[in-house]
Amino acid sequence: MKRMTALHEQAMLEIVDENPWLYLSDISDEMYLRFPEVRFGREYLHGALHAAGISLKKMQKVARGRDEVKRAAYWHQINSCALDPSWLLFADETAMDGRTIRRKHGWGAVGQRVSVIEVMHRGKMISVLAFFTTEGFVS
């Protein structure tokens, strides 16, 4: 097996930066498309990613329409209105749809979050909604 050059390492890092959800075998295939003269195996790539400070972690999914300014204003308003935590009622929804089977882990730099921006398109969904306070669930 040929050793990985700086050019190979740069390509590997670009691949995982652009597509952090890829499996090692997918990264190997993509590397082969870029460098057909050499084939890097999964174990070799795992070691190279680790040596480059890249690890596998759970990805954060960020809605494409997310507005940080509106989000910050919302939290400011909540903090100024709800002086006592018992005044708050929390809602928690759990749901399942066609996106449930998407890959949840991706490659990223050690100590940094991996985020994937995606369209939050809703298909047929099954959901359960629960409400609770600081005292417990609301029946």
Side-chain angles (χ1 to χ4, degrees):
M1 176 177 293
K2 191 174 180 179
R3 270 193 111 158
M4 186 175 280
T5 65
L7 184 62
H8 294 134
E9 182 177 349
Q10 180 183 357
M12 175 188 69
L13 295 175
E14 285 174 7
I15 291 166
V16 298
D17 187 50
E18 293 167 7
N19 305 289
W21 54 83
L22 292 178
Y23 291 122
L24 287 168
S25 58
D26 298 330
I27 298 169
S28 176
D29 292 344
E30 185 64 31
M31 289 289 290
Y32 184 69
L33 290 174
R34 295 184 187 199
F35 305 101
E37 72 279 359
V38 63
R39 183 75 174 187
F40 295 106
R42 292 180 313 223
E43 295 82 10
Y44 188 88
L45 287 171
H46 186 270
L49 286 165
H50 182 73
I54 304 295
S55 67
L56 188 63
K57 56 190 75 185
K58 187 155 184 177
M59 292 188 292
Q60 173 192 26
K61 302 216 176 178
V62 178
R64 188 177 303 269
R66 182 170 168 169
D67 185 333
E68 290 298 331
V69 174
K70 287 182 182 177
R71 192 167 189 258
Y74 167 80
W75 281 112
H76 178 72
Q77 185 177 8
I78 292 294
N79 287 331
S80 64
C81 293
L83 303 176
D84 184 348
S86 67
W87 297 353
L88 299 173
L89 175 70
F90 299 92
D92 189 20
E93 179 184 27
T94 185
M96 183 180 105
D97 66 6
R99 299 169 297 163
T100 306
I101 60 170
R102 290 187 183 169
R103 295 181 184 172
K104 294 179 178 31
H105 290 81
W107 297 96
V110 172
Q112 292 184 1
R113 182 176 279 172
V114 176
S115 297
V116 177
I117 297 174
E118 61 182 37
V119 176
M120 300 295 186
H121 175 69
R122 297 198 191 280
K124 182 178 179 182
M125 183 178 291
I126 300 169
S127 64
V128 175
L129 184 62
F131 292 95
F132 53 100
T133 67
T134 56
E135 301 295 318
F137 283 96
V138 176
S139 55

